[in-house]
C-alpha cells in the first residue's frame, strides 16, 4: 500500500526553508508567454522572489534579466513613451534591452566610471510552445528534456495558439503541496465540484504519468455548453506548474509557497482571440466558472491543512486508480528532497 507524505512535511517551517533550496532553486518556472511581448518591449516580473525583467529587442531576442540595478540595487522599469530602454527608479541609470548600461546621470565626474563595465546579469530561460520558462539554476535539466513528448501528448491542443489575457492570484491558508495534491487527482471532483462534474465524463477521466510531468484528461460532455465539445487537459509540470487546457482557452497556474501553511496560486488566463469583442461575454462566463471551481478547491484545501495540523493524522493510503498523479508528484518530491531531511520524517 502506498502512503501519502507524512503530515509534518506540510506543517514544519524547516521543511519550507529546505524546499526553497533543494526544490524551487533548481526548478523551471513559467514567467510569461511570448504574446505578452507583442506590444511591450519589457515587463517587470517576479521569479520566486527575485525581481526580473523580461525583454525582447528589435531582433526578437527574448531575455530574462535580473531587475537589480548595478548601482545600488534599485529596481528598473521600462522607459515611458515606448522607448526601448530600462530606467532605474532610484537614480535614473539607463540600460538597453540586452541589460547593458548605457548612461548614468552625473557619473561623468568619476574618471574611472564607464557604463560599458555594468551589465544586468542574464537568467537562464527557455521557450516551450510560446511559454517562457526561467530557472535560477544554471545546472537545471534542459527544459526540452523535462517536457519531452508533451506537445505530442496534448495535440491538437497548442499552448502557442493562445494569447495572454491577464494575471490574477489567490492566497490560500495551506501548504503549497496540499494544493498540488488536490490538483493532481480527479477523485474529489464528484464531491467538491458539482458543476465541473456535470461537464466532465468522470468514468473516462484518466491520469498518465511521465518522467517529469503528469496529464489528467477527460472528454467534455456538454457539446453545447460553456466550452463546447473537446477534451480537458490538466497538465502538471513538476514541481509547481499547471496547464489547464479546454477548447478555446488555456490557464497556467503556479503555486508559490509563502510559508509552511500558506501559498499563492497565480492564474494566467489565455484565449484564442481575446481582442475580439464578441468573445468578451464568453470570457466573463469562463472567468466566473473558473473562480467558482477555484473557491471550491480553496475551501477544501484549507480544511485539509487544518486536518494535517491537528495532530490526529500522519499519512494515509493513496487510491491506485484515482491518485496516480499524487503518487507521481510525491515520489519526485522525495527524490528532490533526498536525505537527510525527508528520511528523518519517514
Ligand atoms: S540604484 Fe539604480 S541608479 Fe541608483
Ligand atoms: Fe478541484
Amino acid at each position: 500500500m502506498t502512503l501519502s507524505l507524512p503530515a509534518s512535511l506540510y506543517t514544519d517551517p524547516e521543511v519550507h526553508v529546505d524546499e526553497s533550496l533543494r526544490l524551487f532553486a533548481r526548478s523551471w518556472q513559467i514567467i510569461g508567454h511570448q504574446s505578452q511581448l507583442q506590444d511591450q518591449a519589457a515587463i517587470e516580473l517576479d521569479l520566486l522572489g527575485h525581481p526580473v525583467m523580461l525583454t525582447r529587442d528589435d531582433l526578437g531576442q527574448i531575455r530574462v534579466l535580473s531587475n537589480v540595478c548595478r548601482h545600488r540595487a534599485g529596481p528598473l522599469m521600462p522607459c515611458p513613451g515606448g522607448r526601448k530602454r530600462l530606467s532605474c527608479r532610484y537614480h535614473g541609470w539607463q540600460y538597453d534591452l540586452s541589460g547593458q548600461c548605457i548612461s548614468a546621470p552625473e557619473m561623468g565626474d568619476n574618471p574611472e566610471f564607464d557604463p560599458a563595465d555594468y551589465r544586468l546579469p542574464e537568467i537562464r530561460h527557455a521557450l516551450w510552445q510560446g511559454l517562457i520558462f526561467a530557472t535560477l539554476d544554471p545546472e537545471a535539466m534542459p527544459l526540452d528534456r523535462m517536457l519531452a513528448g508533451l506537445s505530442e501528448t496534448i495535440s491538437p491542443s497548442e499552448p502557442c495558439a493562445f494569447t495572454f489575457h491577464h494575471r490574477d492570484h489567490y492566497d490560500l491558508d495551506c501548504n503549497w503541496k496540499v494544493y498540488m495534491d488536490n490538483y493532481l487527482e480527479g477523485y474529489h471532483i464528484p464531491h467538491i465540484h458539482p458543476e465541473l462534474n456535470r461537464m466532465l465524463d468522470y468514468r473516462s477521466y484518466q491520469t498518465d504519468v511521465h518522467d517529469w510531468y503528469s496529464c489528467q484528461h477527460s472528454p467534455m460532455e456538454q457539446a453545447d455548453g460553456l466550452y463546447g465539445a473537446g477534451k480537458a487537459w490538466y497538465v502538471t509540470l513538476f514541481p509547481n506548474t499547471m496547464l489547464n487546457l479546454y477548447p478555446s482557452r488555456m490557464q497556467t497556474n503556479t503555486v508559490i509557497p509563502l510559508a509552511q501553511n500558506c501559498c499563492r496560486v497565480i492564474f494566467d488566463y489565455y484565449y484564442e482571440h481575446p481582442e475580439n469583442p464578441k468573445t468578451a461575454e464568453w470570457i466573463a462566463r469562463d472567468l466566473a466558472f473558473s473562480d467558482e471551481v477555484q473557491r471550491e478547491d480553496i475551501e477544501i484545501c484549507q480544511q485539509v491543512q487544518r486536518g494535517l495540523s491537528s495532530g490526529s493524522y500522519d499519512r494515509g493510503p493513496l487510491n491506485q486508480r484515482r491518485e496516480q498523479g499524487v503518487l507521481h508528484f510525491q515520489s519526485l518530491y522525495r527524490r528532490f528532497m533526498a536525505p537527510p531531511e525527508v528520511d528523518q520524517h519517514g
Side-chain angles (χ1 to χ4, degrees):
M1 184 91 73
T2 308
L3 298 178
S4 58
L5 293 175
S8 59
L9 294 180
Y10 297 78
T11 58
D12 183 343
E14 282 183 27
V15 172
H16 169 69
V17 173
D18 283 345
E19 285 172 348
S20 77
L21 299 173
R22 290 170 182 268
L23 193 54
F24 287 95
R26 298 159 67 192
S27 69
W28 284 98
Q29 300 287 317
I30 287 181
I31 58 165
H33 189 269
Q34 60 188 12
S35 61
Q36 291 171 266
L37 291 165
Q38 272 162 9
D39 305 324
Q40 307 169 82
I43 305 172
E44 292 170 70
L45 293 165
D46 179 274
L47 173 60
L48 298 171
H50 296 252
V52 299
M53 186 75 78
L54 179 61
T55 68
R56 177 177 219 160
D57 67 20
D58 287 339
L59 299 173
Q61 169 79 47
I62 290 174
R63 288 187 175 84
V64 180
L65 303 170
S66 168
N67 187 8
V68 179
C69 180
R70 298 298 103 184
H71 175 219
R72 276 178 41 223
L76 307 162
M77 62 178 179
C79 272
R83 282 191 302 152
K84 302 206 163 164
R85 286 188 182 178
L86 309 172
S87 171
C88 181
R89 294 175 194 270
Y90 204 177
H91 313 98
W93 285 27
Q94 293 204 350
Y95 298 76
D96 69 17
L97 296 178
S98 76
Q100 177 62 55
C101 182
I102 48 178
S103 71
E106 302 178 65
M107 289 292 285
D109 292 347
N110 183 342
E112 286 147 32
F113 178 79
D114 180 353
D117 294 339
Y118 299 90
R119 190 173 181 84
L120 302 174
E122 216 166 312
I123 292 162
R124 188 175 166 203
H125 79 278
L127 260 73
W128 176 83
Q129 287 254 6
L131 289 162
I132 303 162
F133 290 74
T135 179
L136 297 167
D137 181 4
E139 307 289 317
M141 175 192 305
L143 184 71
D144 56 359
R145 177 136 61 94
M146 192 174 158
L147 301 184
L150 180 55
S151 291
E152 294 76 14
T153 300
I154 62 173
S155 175
S157 292
E158 287 190 314
C160 59
F162 294 100
T163 300
F164 178 80
H165 187 259
H166 74 283
R167 171 170 286 194
D168 205 349
H169 71 263
Y170 297 85
D171 286 346
L172 280 70
D173 290 327
C174 70
N175 183 274
W176 69 280
K177 298 188 293 301
V178 171
Y179 190 89
M180 294 305 303
D181 291 344
N182 175 69
Y183 179 88
L184 280 156
E185 45 88 357
Y187 195 21
H188 70 276
I189 290 176
H191 307 279
I192 300 294
H193 304 302
E195 275 304 311
L196 179 61
N197 194 40
R198 271 192 276 281
M199 230 174 240
L200 301 175
D201 177 3
Y202 182 71
R203 285 155 305 165
S204 306
Y205 196 101
Q206 281 183 42
T207 303
D208 306 323
V209 301
H210 302 260
D211 286 350
W212 297 101
Y213 59 89
S214 63
C215 299
Q216 300 170 78
H217 51 98
S218 165
M220 305 199 80
E221 285 199 316
Q222 292 185 321
D224 53 353
L226 179 57
Y227 301 109
K231 206 161 179 183
W233 286 97
Y234 305 107
V235 179
T236 307
L237 316 176
F238 186 78
N240 65 331
T241 299
M242 292 145 271
L243 311 179
N244 306 319
L245 286 151
Y246 289 165
S248 308
R249 73 93 149 133
M250 172 173 79
Q251 287 171 2
T252 64
N253 308 149
T254 308
V255 189
I256 306 292
L258 300 176
Q260 77 277 9
N261 55 1
C262 59
C263 63
R264 171 165 295 177
V265 187
I266 296 170
F267 274 64
D268 284 345
Y269 297 86
Y270 296 84
Y271 298 96
E272 277 180 342
H273 302 289
E275 71 292 346
N276 183 341
K278 287 189 188 151
T279 62
E281 192 205 344
W282 179 78
I283 288 175
R285 287 175 60 209
D286 172 56
L287 294 175
F289 179 64
S290 169
D291 183 65
E292 178 185 319
V293 173
Q294 178 65 4
R295 288 187 189 285
E296 291 162 350
D297 280 324
I298 289 174
E299 176 67 24
I300 193 66
C301 285
Q302 294 186 156
Q303 289 183 352
V304 166
Q305 184 71 28
R306 287 197 283 279
L308 290 165
S309 307
S310 68
S312 83
Y313 171 92
D314 185 32
R315 51 205 308 199
L318 293 175
N319 182 320
Q320 303 261 348
R321 173 161 143 69
R322 293 287 184 188
E323 292 177 301
Q324 306 100 313
V326 180
L327 175 59
H328 177 251
F329 168 79
Q330 296 191 354
S331 305
L332 288 175
Y333 177 85
R334 286 171 201 276
R335 248 167 87 182
F336 261 77
M337 295 293 288
E341 281 74 5
V342 166
D343 278 5
Q344 287 169 359
H345 291 273

